[in-house]
Amino acid sequence: MDDHVKLRGLKNIGPTIADRLESVGLKTVGDLNKIGPAKAFHRVKSAYPDIAIPICYYLYSLQGALVGKHWNDLSSATKKRLLDEAGIESSSSRS
């Protein structure tokens, strides 16, 4: 996928997620590729500490957006890798 493609409107990226990503400086596929889904997830969580940020709606959705898949269609191995990269215990997540 071209690095200049906007994140807004990609699979898994609804208006709320897009607004939050843009507010932390992530607007394009290139922006997301540069830091990766795990760091992007933490950046959004840090920017919105009073809001519960579901793992499936951010961490998995960001990876899914990059590969053109619904977040729930990511393999268990991919979800585990993302959790490991984000430093999140598998038992505390919803996969």
Side-chain angles (χ1 to χ4, degrees):
M1 185 176 303
D2 185 332
D3 279 353
H4 299 293
V5 171
K6 299 278 186 203
L7 292 172
R8 184 176 292 275
L10 290 181
K11 186 175 283 298
N12 305 313
I13 307 295
T16 301
I17 293 175
D19 289 346
R20 290 180 182 160
L21 290 169
E22 288 174 4
S23 78
V24 298
L26 302 171
K27 298 178 183 177
T28 66
V29 168
D31 296 337
L32 182 55
N33 273 325
K34 185 174 181 179
I35 69 166
K39 286 184 181 175
F41 172 76
H42 283 296
R43 191 179 282 187
V44 171
K45 278 187 65 87
S46 293
Y48 296 91
D50 297 334
I51 298 172
I53 306 291
I55 293 168
C56 60
Y57 293 146
Y58 284 84
L59 184 60
Y60 299 162
S61 291
L62 297 175
Q63 179 64 36
L66 291 175
V67 298
K69 288 185 175 182
H70 186 276
W71 67 265
N72 203 36
D73 293 334
L74 296 174
S75 70
S76 295
T78 297
K79 290 177 182 178
K80 177 158 181 4
R81 177 184 55 80
L82 291 166
L83 292 171
D84 290 346
E85 288 175 7
I88 299 169
E89 297 268 336
S90 305
S91 60
S92 67
S93 69
R94 179 180 135 197
S95 57

